[in-house]
């Protein structure tokens, strides 16, 4: 896998000398890091933490030892003593507010000591964006404010455009990165902090205004369902064509058309509250007829022959898929028949509709008790040393207490209503993120944990070596938005990196450049920066 393709073929230039900032895998904890990403900066005493013009603290990204940079880098210009530090107010940068000193590069001649983060520095971990937010400053107890610290090796290269991760590490690499869903095969958090991520994430879900809609999306029914969506949409379009409001294109038409759409949707839904059982059965019959037509078409093509082997196998696969769908449809049709028989009396549909609503409301009525439980669990977790190992028995007890809050309700299962027991909370939806962050924090700290050993640890390190593109200093910016790449000196090119928690504006790359004249004079206040998606 190459980091870049041939879309960019830079001209031969001394400016092509470059270094790759290679995250250490495994991390060499017995060495004092000379260059690193994340964590805290080490600055001389008296150096103030950078802030933008509005006073907001910037987030520390990297500190690089200038003495390790090759002589040819930047055409021999720039410092070769001291350290270069990169700070970014990424929350504003991601909202295209690039003015006001929100990206700053410092050059210090001494390394100094670790500089504690300002009290008003908000938490930013992009890969946890569904948990801590994406663009608004937020400080949440138990969530680290800083990106995890990761030492890097400075790897000199004359042509970074053809490097692969396997060449860079000279070690096995996974086909998938650490961020792939289910990429870490663990069914529980390893630390109390990981448990906090799960429990507090669930609590956020149940404190949201749209909690009923989210539970409904999990299949729980609160009112008679509309299974014939095709019929609903067809009727909607037929009526909308005769309503003048839908042709409105005067200034400010958007909200007016949206209001008309909502009104028509409510009108149709109210009309279709009666007869929904029959329509549900009919929708399955329509689907069956469509599948039979589809299957028979491809069977006929197979019978006619004249296809190459690959196309023949493709047609056979389509026929097999349709056959499998027809089997599932037949099972669903049989379940519908059971529902129909149970509520076939004249008042049956009204009775079932009332039961669906009653059981749905009873399911929602469990939420206040669940919120109380979640608050108690969070308080218990926050009383612990969050980085200490979480005993499995403690986690299983938490898991069981959440799963015990459940009720019997009506759910939508493959186009058929059926009565089933459902848990109110689906805690496992948060587990993937919590396990990933947990394992990476433990790994980056060098903390010993029984789970991080042997084949499991080897698999994690293979995934950590998987990179879409490396972090770089010097050379030509690998950017399609750089107007004059050969006359822009690249200070930093920081790629999105799940191991670091970075996903610059949605898997983009952060570029920081400086003019050659400003670099000659070490004028690092004269920089340009942008994020390329």
């Amino acid at each position: 896998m190459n980091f870049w393709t041939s879309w960019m073929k830079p001209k031969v230039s001394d400016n092509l000398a470059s270094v790759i900032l290679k995250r250490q895998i495994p991390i060499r904890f017995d060495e004092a890091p000379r260059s690193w990403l994340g964590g805290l900066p080490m600055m001389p005493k008296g150096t103030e933490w950078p802030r933008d013009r509005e006073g907001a603290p910037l987030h520390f990204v990297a500190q690089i030892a200038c003495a390790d940079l090759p002589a040819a880098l930047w055409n021999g210009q720039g410092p070769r003593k001291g350290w270069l530090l990169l700070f970014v107010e990424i929350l504003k940068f991601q909202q295209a507010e690039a003015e006001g000193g929100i990206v700053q590069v410092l050059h210090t001649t001494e390394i100094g000591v670790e500089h504690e983060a300002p009290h008003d520095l908000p938490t930013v971990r992009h890969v946890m964006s569904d948990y801590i937010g994406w663009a608004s400053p937020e400080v949440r107890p138990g969530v680290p404010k800083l990106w995890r610290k990761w030492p890097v090796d400075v790897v000199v290269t004359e042509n970074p455009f053809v490097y692969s991760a396997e060449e860079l590490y000279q070690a096995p690499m996974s086909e998938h990165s650490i961020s792939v869903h289910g990429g870490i095969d663990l069914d529980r958090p390893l630390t109390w902090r990981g448990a906090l991520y799960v429990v507090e994430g669930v609590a956020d879900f149940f404190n949201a205004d749209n909690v009923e809609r989210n539970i409904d999306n999990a299949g729980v029914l609160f009112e008679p369902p509309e299974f014939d969506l095709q019929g609903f949409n067809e009727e909607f379009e037929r009526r909308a064509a005769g309503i003048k409001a839908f042709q409105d294109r005067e200034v400010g038409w958007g909200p007016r058309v949206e209001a008309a759409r909502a009104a028509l949707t409510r009108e149709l839904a109210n009309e279709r509250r009666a007869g929904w059982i029959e329509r549900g059965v009919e929708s399955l019959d329509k689907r069956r007829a469509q599948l039979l037509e589809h299957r028979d078409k491809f069977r006929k093509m197979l019978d006619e022959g004249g296809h190459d082997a690959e196309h023949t196998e493709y047609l056979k696969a389509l026929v097999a898929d349709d056959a499998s769908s027809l089997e599932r449809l037949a099972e669903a049709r049989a379940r519908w028949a059971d529902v129909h028989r149970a509520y076939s009396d004249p008042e049956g549909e009204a009775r079932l509709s009332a039961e669906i609503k009653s059981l749905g409301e009873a399911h929602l009525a469990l939420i206040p008790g669940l919120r109380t439980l979640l608050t108690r669990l969070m308080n218990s977790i926050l009383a612990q040393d969050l980085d200490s190992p979480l005993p499995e028995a403690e986690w299983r007890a938490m898991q069981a207490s959440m799963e015990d809050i459940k009720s019997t309700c009506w759910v939508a299962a493959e186009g058929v209503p059926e009565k089933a027991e459902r848990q109110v909370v689906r805690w496992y939806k948060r587990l993937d993120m919590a396990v990933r962050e947990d394992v990476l924090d433990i790994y980056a700290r060098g903390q010993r944990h029984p789970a991080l050993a042997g084949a499991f640890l080897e698999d994690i390190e293979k995934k950590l070596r998987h990179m879409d593109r490396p972090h770089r200093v010097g050379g030509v910016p690998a950017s399609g938005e750089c107007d004059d790449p050969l006359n822009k000196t690249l200070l930093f090119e920081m790629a999105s990196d799940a191991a670091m928690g970075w996903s610059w504006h949605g898997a983009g790359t952060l570029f920081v450049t400086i003019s050659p004249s400003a670099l000659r004079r070490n004028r690092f206040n004269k920089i340009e920066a942008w994020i390329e998606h």
Side-chain angles (χ1 to χ4, degrees):
M1 179 194 70
N2 287 337
F3 290 124
W4 295 279
T5 55
S6 59
W7 69 270
M8 174 179 256
K9 295 181 179 179
K11 300 175 183 177
V12 176
S13 166
D14 290 339
N15 200 36
L16 290 182
S18 177
V19 300
I20 290 175
L21 304 177
K22 182 181 75 170
R23 280 190 287 101
Q24 291 181 5
I25 306 169
I27 297 174
R28 300 190 298 275
F29 291 101
D30 57 336
E31 299 177 2
R34 294 179 57 80
S35 300
W36 64 93
L37 311 177
L40 288 169
M42 297 181 73
M43 301 185 288
K45 186 176 180 180
T47 306
E48 295 186 358
W49 189 287
R51 294 176 176 267
D52 67 12
R53 292 176 191 169
E54 296 178 344
L58 275 59
H59 306 94
F60 172 67
V61 176
Q63 182 160 346
I64 307 302
C66 297
D68 295 337
L69 302 177
L73 189 76
W74 302 324
N75 291 331
Q77 301 169 0
R80 292 301 184 275
K81 295 181 179 179
W83 279 261
L84 281 181
L85 293 81
L86 174 62
F87 292 83
V88 182
E89 211 299 7
I90 193 61
L91 295 175
K92 292 180 181 177
F93 207 171
Q94 288 174 155
Q95 299 178 71
E97 300 177 19
E99 301 298 326
I102 66 172
V103 179
Q104 296 183 33
V105 174
L106 304 184
H107 176 236
T108 65
T109 56
E110 300 175 9
I111 193 168
V113 296
E114 281 193 344
H115 198 305
E116 287 301 319
H119 68 89
D120 56 341
L121 184 74
T123 298
V124 178
R125 283 199 181 187
H126 298 126
V127 293
M128 299 172 68
S129 60
D130 61 337
Y131 175 70
I132 60 171
W134 178 262
S136 300
E138 187 174 346
V139 176
R140 178 173 283 187
V143 183
K145 287 186 174 186
L146 307 170
W147 286 303
R148 58 183 61 90
K149 183 176 182 178
W150 209 299
V152 295
D153 294 326
V154 173
V155 180
V156 180
T157 171
E158 293 182 357
N159 192 353
F161 298 93
V162 295
Y163 256 80
S164 73
E166 286 179 309
E167 291 172 324
L168 190 62
Y169 282 101
Q170 294 292 299
M173 180 193 76
S174 172
E175 293 182 4
H176 305 291
S177 77
I178 201 76
S179 62
V180 172
H181 177 70
I184 299 180
D185 187 19
L186 282 177
D187 66 348
R188 71 176 188 91
L190 299 179
T191 69
W192 288 95
R193 192 185 305 278
L196 178 69
Y197 292 159
V198 176
V199 174
E200 191 174 16
V202 172
D204 279 356
F205 176 93
F206 284 98
N207 287 330
D209 295 334
N210 59 356
V211 62
E212 180 174 332
R213 187 194 72 196
N214 287 336
I215 293 177
D216 183 40
N217 288 343
V220 177
L221 297 176
F222 302 99
E223 59 183 21
E226 176 58 77
F227 286 115
D228 183 18
L229 292 177
Q230 180 180 343
F232 185 98
N233 292 334
E234 288 173 354
E235 180 62 16
F236 184 98
E237 295 301 326
R238 187 187 69 77
R239 294 195 192 184
I243 298 175
K244 187 177 180 180
F246 284 92
Q247 281 75 52
D248 185 355
R249 287 299 180 269
E250 298 296 326
V251 174
W253 63 270
R256 293 192 296 271
V257 172
E258 188 58 34
R261 180 174 294 277
L264 181 54
T265 299
R266 286 193 300 272
E267 177 185 321
L268 266 178
N270 288 331
E271 289 179 12
R272 293 167 70 92
R273 290 190 187 280
W276 64 270
I277 291 181
E278 291 292 343
R279 286 197 308 275
V281 176
E282 291 169 1
S283 70
L284 290 183
D285 292 340
K286 287 180 189 177
R287 176 62 179 151
R288 181 175 183 275
Q290 293 168 350
L291 281 171
L292 286 171
E293 181 182 356
H294 193 262
R295 182 201 64 185
D296 292 345
K297 179 179 73 172
F298 292 115
R299 275 184 174 176
K300 183 179 179 182
M301 293 173 66
L302 275 172
D303 292 341
E304 291 172 349
H307 312 291
D308 60 31
E310 183 177 354
H311 194 210
T312 298
E313 291 302 314
Y314 173 68
L315 292 173
K316 287 181 179 179
L318 290 175
V319 171
D321 286 344
D322 286 339
S324 177
S325 296
L326 284 165
E327 288 180 10
R328 293 195 304 273
L329 200 62
E331 294 171 359
R333 185 67 170 78
R335 296 201 308 275
W336 254 120
D338 292 339
V339 173
H340 194 270
R341 280 192 296 273
Y343 297 89
S344 59
D345 58 277
E347 300 300 322
E349 184 176 77
R351 185 160 46 87
L352 177 55
S353 297
E355 186 176 324
I356 288 172
K357 182 178 180 181
S358 174
L359 293 181
E361 290 174 349
H363 195 70
L364 284 177
L366 298 173
I367 290 177
L370 174 63
R371 287 177 175 146
T372 300
L373 169 67
L374 294 172
T375 299
R376 179 172 61 79
L377 291 177
M378 283 192 293
N379 289 339
S380 175
I381 292 169
L382 288 170
Q384 309 293 325
D385 174 2
L386 295 181
D387 292 327
S388 64
L390 170 68
E392 183 168 359
E394 294 277 3
W395 168 249
R396 298 305 177 197
M398 289 185 228
Q399 175 184 331
S401 65
M402 291 187 285
E403 292 176 349
D404 281 346
I405 300 180
K406 55 191 174 183
S407 73
T408 298
C409 50
W410 282 90
V411 299
E414 295 187 3
V416 182
E418 64 179 35
K419 197 182 291 188
E421 190 174 65
R422 285 290 186 271
Q423 299 166 13
V424 177
V425 59
R426 295 187 296 161
W427 58 267
Y428 50 84
K429 300 286 282 186
R430 298 288 179 174
L431 186 64
D432 197 60
M433 175 274 290
V435 164
R436 181 194 64 236
E437 294 303 292
D438 220 4
V439 166
L440 291 177
D441 282 343
I442 293 170
Y443 183 87
R445 287 195 301 266
Q447 181 179 346
R448 293 186 178 275
H449 194 286
L452 266 67
F456 181 80
L457 179 59
E458 291 178 12
D459 182 65
I460 295 298
E461 292 186 335
K462 287 178 183 178
K463 289 184 170 72
L464 287 171
R465 294 184 189 107
H466 178 101
M467 300 169 63
D468 291 328
R469 63 196 303 170
H471 312 300
R472 300 173 53 226
V473 171
V476 176
S479 165
E481 296 182 14
C482 186
D483 53 0
D484 190 7
L486 293 181
N487 290 314
K488 297 266 179 134
T489 300
L490 181 66
L491 288 179
F492 291 97
E493 181 176 308
M494 311 305 292
S496 291
D497 187 338
M500 290 302 304
W502 298 340
S503 182
W504 311 115
H505 212 318
T509 300
L510 170 66
F511 295 90
V512 183
T513 61
I514 190 171
S515 69
S517 61
L519 182 61
R520 277 196 300 271
R521 293 174 290 167
N522 284 355
R523 296 289 300 276
F524 292 106
N525 59 331
K526 304 292 185 180
I527 61 172
E528 294 182 34
W530 68 95
I531 293 175
E532 183 167 319
H533 307 288

